[in-house]
Amino acid sequence: HVQLVESGGGSVQAGGSLRLSCAASGSIQRTNCMGWFRQAPGKERDWVATDNGVGTTYYGDYVKGRFAISRDNAKNTVYLQMNSLKPEDTAMYYCAADVSPSCGTWAIAEFDFWGQGTQVTVS
């Protein structure tokens, strides 16, 4: 079992930055795939970024070049650095873990554990 707790959300002006954190506990492993997703009210949950646990990161088209996912295995924490924020980035941001051998990358159904979310509002 894995527990994920997001933090770091808040309200910022367009062009600003936020750094989200996802603290993991339980049976998480260094090689597990970790992802960030977001969901705005009335919209589907979208994939934001993924760290595949073995040295490769992936980003959705809307955040590529602005967001960066990173991982501190010693702290069992995954981060999402968000720069040049836009109003369309406003959403609840969720951290997720895929504990299977293969990383689902962008596939929501492939992620096994989810955090409670942290709100990001950009105006």
Side-chain angles (χ1 to χ4, degrees):
H1 181 72
V2 175
Q3 287 185 310
L4 305 172
V5 180
E6 303 97 332
S7 62
S11 181
V12 299
Q13 296 184 30
S17 299
L18 282 174
R19 185 191 187 213
L20 306 183
S21 298
C22 173
S25 61
S27 57
I28 193 73
Q29 299 183 31
R30 294 175 180 266
T31 57
N32 285 155
C33 190
M34 300 294 298
W36 285 96
F37 298 80
R38 66 187 184 185
Q39 186 170 23
K43 297 184 178 180
E44 65 182 12
R45 188 167 297 187
D46 293 327
W47 170 65
V48 175
T50 293
D51 181 325
N52 74 352
V54 289
T56 304
T57 57
Y58 306 88
Y59 298 93
D61 290 340
Y62 296 121
V63 305
K64 186 177 295 184
R66 299 187 297 120
F67 291 11
I69 187 172
S70 61
R71 193 167 185 166
D72 186 338
N73 288 317
K75 297 180 179 179
N76 283 341
T77 300
V78 178
Y79 303 95
L80 183 68
Q81 179 66 47
M82 305 184 295
N83 299 321
S84 300
L85 284 162
K86 304 175 181 179
E88 53 261 44
D89 295 319
T90 296
M92 184 73 73
Y93 282 71
Y94 298 90
C95 176
D98 180 354
V99 298
S100 65
S102 60
C103 182
T105 308
W106 63 84
I108 293 174
E110 295 296 322
F111 286 80
D112 306 289
F113 302 98
W114 295 81
Q116 83 289 349
T118 185
Q119 179 67 40
V120 172
T121 302
V122 184
S123 60

